[in-house]
Amino acid sequence: MAIHAILLSALATFQLSYARVVSPHTERSIQNARPLLRDFDALGAWYDGVAGIKQSAIPRQPNVTIAIVGAGISGLTTALMLDSVGVHNWEIVEASDRVGGRFRTKFFADTQEWVEMGPMRLPYTITYDSDNSTHEYTDHRMVFQLAEWLNELNHHDPRWEVEFIPWIQHHPNELMARGGKKTSDGRIPTRADIAANAELQSAPPLLTADYNSTKEKMNAILKNETTLRAIQKDVWRAHRAAMDRGLDDISQQAMMRNVFNASENTTDAIWTASDYDLFWDEMVHNSNLAQDGSSGTLGETEWKCIDKGFNKLSDAFIPLISDRIVLNRKITKLEAVNGSSGLPRTRLSWHTGGKDRGLSHKDYDFTIITAPFTVTRFMDLPKFSSVLGRAISEAGLRFKSACKVALLFRERFWEKGERPIFGGYSQPLSVAVGALYYPVYGHNETGRPGAIIHYRGGDWSDRYMSFSDEQHVEQVLDAIVSLHGEQARELYTGQFERLCWLEDEHSATSWCRPDVQQHALYIPAYHATEHNTIFIGEHTAPTHAWVSSSIHSSVRGAIQLLLEIGMVAEAKALNARWMGRWIDFGV
């Protein structure tokens, strides 16, 4: 009875709670003379606490040595942030032979065609139907802020300039074969056809009163405009509100079955249509990806991407910090050791290669680990606290994968004919293939080649691991032919790119997908420094999977370190520069 009563009461006050939690804060001074990041609200506006620090009795240690494990966007950004406040004695240790981590832009030989095998788009603004107002996604604004900063530091050198172009999430002429319905003249319907004719829309999985009632109750949580606006405007205070409402304590299936008293059939039909377990994850999804302007959505998201790919962003760090990056050094062990002065330090070890396969090591005062737990689980680590240790363990934080296959064609046949397609994605009849994305650049250029990208995440990507390159390419090509005819097969060049992220030895995952109670329990553990080690990366942030998650973790990690070494003024400076738009947030 207790959990039912608590959850029902929470749901009754859900909107009111968001309005209360995201109202302007009252600045708090910190009474503790030794303020550390763990003192502040890890699940919400921790940056308010940093802004309110008045003093610190921790001795300043500006010359500590720092290892940053991983040269993905989290590691690169952390390094540059530390540099910006006068902390220069750091070194990035990267296992691979490149920077960029899960950024993976690929160019096809002898062409200007590029495809993203990793991140590919950024939510920019949203326009609501209810009042026709437009608002920016404040947390994603961090990516644009980082690009602006890099461009300034590189003096807008064309070799390193990061420029944004529109990402076309949807196009009216996308082909929607999923569901098998055809137009009156026998064509595969387009997105515009379906919007104009309700009979072409896919039917819901069930047509029962129980299904409709339960779906309405779930949408009251997942697609509530007040909630989504709060997430878009101040994701961290919105996260705290969701945690306070108990939405991390129960799965969507449990809510439908045990609170809304839905049948097993209804519960399964609704859950399997989205595959989200956590309310928070799906609310974040609905705040951007689901707002496509179609019938039933609250508005439309405007998207951006990086011209010539996301690796332009990570490459822009190279002239600024390349003198302190060590490549091809895969850390296999982290130890807590005592230095000559008796103070705690960290020791990183790695295999030197060669016949003896010996170990080399180097000691640092602090280590910041950016690699996902899918990688650190293979490291020999010291014993961390129970919660942090469990988060890192194989039974702890949950991750998901993805696969992409990009096929190059001699001509962009999809841009021709009566219903040309420019950007967006089509859905073939094959559920396994999922979505087929078209280029968002180089439109209407005579004779220009182009690539179509197949994307599949979650369990499908795990299954695709059993395919050979040839099998996977063949299935994707067949799906493209099913939409566009045999011309696609004739124009295929034979060039392709394929990446299933579980096969990538330096990540072994695509993004984090936490389980029930893992936010409320694990995130505070990341804000506490143990064995002079700090864990950052998108998996440690509230939003996951987005580039902004990685950058947010960099801000948090850099500030966490600065407070540990008594550099409060510098921590507050970083806080004001990167988190300032939320510190002074108002409704």
Side-chain angles (χ1 to χ4, degrees):
M1 178 268 176
I3 186 65
H4 291 195
I6 291 170
L7 287 167
L8 288 171
S9 173
L11 291 173
T13 59
F14 198 72
Q15 292 187 46
L16 175 63
S17 299
Y18 265 97
R20 174 178 59 80
V21 171
V22 300
S23 61
H25 77 283
T26 301
E27 184 176 287
R28 298 170 294 163
S29 62
I30 304 304
Q31 302 304 317
N32 185 354
R34 298 178 65 82
L36 298 172
L37 200 69
R38 67 188 183 199
D39 299 328
F40 311 124
D41 182 11
L43 298 177
W46 57 267
Y47 38 83
D48 281 359
V50 175
I53 297 174
K54 300 302 183 184
Q55 60 183 351
S56 174
I58 299 175
R60 286 177 59 86
Q61 305 171 65
N63 296 316
V64 296
T65 57
I66 304 156
I68 300 172
V69 179
I73 196 64
S74 296
L76 296 169
T77 303
T78 302
L80 202 58
M81 286 179 175
L82 291 174
D83 242 26
S84 72
V85 294
V87 177
H88 307 298
N89 201 11
W90 50 261
E91 181 176 62
I92 297 177
V93 183
E94 166 58 36
S96 73
D97 60 358
R98 56 181 288 277
V99 302
R102 279 170 275 179
F103 288 180
R104 205 63 60 89
T105 306
K106 293 287 187 178
F107 279 81
F108 284 101
D110 302 321
T111 76
Q112 302 178 59
E113 302 308 301
W114 50 272
V115 292
E116 297 284 28
M117 308 307 285
M120 56 185 177
R121 59 197 164 190
L122 299 166
Y124 186 58
T125 64
I126 180 169
T127 301
Y128 281 96
D129 294 338
S130 60
D131 58 6
N132 201 37
S133 62
T134 299
H135 309 272
E136 73 172 8
Y137 287 91
T138 53
D139 63 319
H140 294 285
R141 184 65 185 80
M142 300 179 88
V143 188
F144 300 97
Q145 181 180 347
L146 176 62
E148 291 163 4
W149 187 32
L150 288 166
N151 287 341
E152 291 173 7
L153 293 174
N154 285 321
H155 306 291
H156 296 276
D157 186 327
R159 292 174 298 173
W160 311 111
E161 185 88 0
V162 180
E163 297 180 328
F164 293 92
I165 58 175
W167 168 272
I168 304 168
Q169 178 71 358
H170 287 297
H171 188 271
N173 290 335
E174 295 168 353
L175 297 171
M176 301 285 107
R178 189 76 47 79
K181 295 188 178 182
K182 297 289 184 70
T183 62
S184 58
D185 57 357
R187 292 185 294 104
I188 296 173
T190 64
R191 176 172 289 272
D193 290 332
I194 294 172
N197 184 355
E199 293 183 0
L200 293 174
Q201 297 177 9
S202 296
L206 292 177
L207 296 171
T208 65
D210 185 43
Y211 175 90
N212 293 335
S213 173
T214 305
K215 187 71 173 175
E216 183 178 353
K217 291 172 184 176
M218 293 293 284
N219 284 344
I221 305 172
L222 295 165
K223 297 185 178 181
N224 178 277
E225 186 167 329
T226 301
T227 302
L228 299 191
R229 283 182 182 245
I231 292 172
Q232 291 149 0
K233 196 168 189 179
D234 190 326
V235 72
W236 291 276
R237 283 188 175 91
H239 181 259
R240 163 52 76 180
M243 299 299 104
D244 287 347
R245 299 284 61 80
L247 292 183
D248 198 49
D249 298 331
I250 186 169
S251 69
Q252 292 194 30
Q253 302 98 301
M255 180 73 83
M256 288 184 280
R257 188 77 181 98
N258 299 321
V259 179
F260 297 150
N261 297 313
S263 70
E264 296 97 330
N265 195 22
T266 292
T267 299
D268 189 67
I270 295 175
W271 176 69
T272 54
S274 70
D275 190 33
Y276 279 95
D277 297 318
L278 296 189
F279 283 95
W280 172 253
D281 270 4
E282 188 164 357
M283 288 190 297
V284 172
H285 166 94
N286 288 340
S287 76
N288 44 57
L289 271 167
Q291 302 307 314
D292 61 6
S294 61
S295 175
T297 62
L298 301 172
E300 185 169 6
T301 295
E302 176 189 7
W303 299 80
K304 299 283 187 181
C305 64
I306 295 178
D307 190 21
K308 296 180 176 60
F310 271 88
N311 272 123
K312 288 284 289 184
L313 184 64
S314 52
D315 287 350
F317 285 87
I318 292 174
L320 305 171
I321 61 177
S322 60
D323 59 328
R324 285 164 288 172
I325 298 179
V326 179
L327 300 177
N328 297 305
R329 180 175 291 177
K330 187 173 185 177
I331 300 303
T332 59
K333 187 175 185 179
L334 167 70
E335 296 175 85
V337 298
N338 287 325
S340 57
S341 63
L343 294 175
R345 305 192 81 200
T346 59
R347 173 171 294 168
L348 299 181
S349 300
W350 62 93
H351 287 289
T352 55
K355 292 182 179 179
D356 59 357
R357 294 294 294 167
L359 279 177
S360 291
H361 69 263
K362 186 172 181 179
D363 292 354
Y364 303 85
D365 293 312
F366 286 87
T367 292
I368 299 175
I369 294 185
T370 77
F373 294 157
T374 48
V375 172
T376 61
R377 287 166 184 165
F378 288 94
M379 295 180 184
D380 185 0
L381 300 175
K383 185 175 179 58
F384 289 102
S385 65
S386 179
V387 173
L388 182 56
R390 280 181 276 129
I392 297 170
S393 76
E394 74 281 2
L397 197 63
R398 189 176 61 165
F399 292 83
K400 287 280 187 176
S401 189
C403 282
K404 287 186 177 180
V405 170
L407 306 185
L408 182 68
F409 298 90
R410 289 195 300 276
E411 296 178 13
R412 297 187 174 197
F413 49 82
W414 54 89
E415 295 182 4
K416 302 175 182 179
E418 297 180 2
R419 285 174 288 275
I421 303 172
F422 301 101
Y425 63 84
S426 290
Q427 293 182 340
L429 192 60
S430 168
V431 178
V433 171
L436 297 167
Y437 286 84
Y438 303 98
V440 299
Y441 60 89
H443 297 156
N444 281 325
E445 294 184 12
T446 303
R448 179 162 187 162
I452 294 177
I453 305 175
H454 143 76
Y455 168 80
R456 216 47 171 127
D459 187 76
W460 281 111
S461 65
D462 298 346
R463 299 319 121 220
Y464 270 123
M465 291 278 294
S466 67
F467 279 43
S468 67
D469 285 355
E470 292 73 18
Q471 288 174 315
H472 203 161
V473 166
E474 182 179 285
Q475 186 174 63
V476 173
L477 181 57
D478 286 345
I480 296 171
V481 169
S482 74
L483 293 175
H484 294 284
E486 285 297 326
Q487 62 173 332
R489 202 180 306 277
E490 296 165 4
L491 292 171
Y492 174 48
T493 64
Q495 294 188 58
F496 68 89
E497 292 286 346
R498 178 179 185 247
L499 178 57
C500 288
W501 280 94
L502 282 184
E503 294 182 307
D504 185 83
E505 66 173 302
H506 304 300
S507 65
T509 188
S510 291
W511 66 80
C512 178
R513 176 71 72 80
D515 212 334
V516 173
Q517 298 182 334
Q518 290 189 341
H519 265 212
L521 181 64
Y522 291 164
I523 288 180
Y526 310 143
H527 287 234
T529 304
E530 299 184 25
H531 300 307
N532 283 23
T533 300
I534 295 170
F535 290 91
I536 68 170
E538 61 90 8
H539 54 294
T540 68
T543 48
H544 308 298
W546 295 101
V547 178
S548 59
S549 305
S550 298
I551 299 173
H552 166 244
S553 80
S554 299
V555 182
R556 189 264 300 167
I559 290 173
Q560 186 169 334
L561 174 67
L562 292 169
L563 293 181
E564 294 281 348
I565 61 177
M567 299 184 68
V568 172
E570 290 80 358
K572 293 181 71 170
L574 272 187
N575 195 54
R577 179 170 188 175
W578 291 94
M579 307 302 294
R581 65 178 56 83
W582 298 287
I583 293 170
D584 297 322
F585 175 84
V587 176

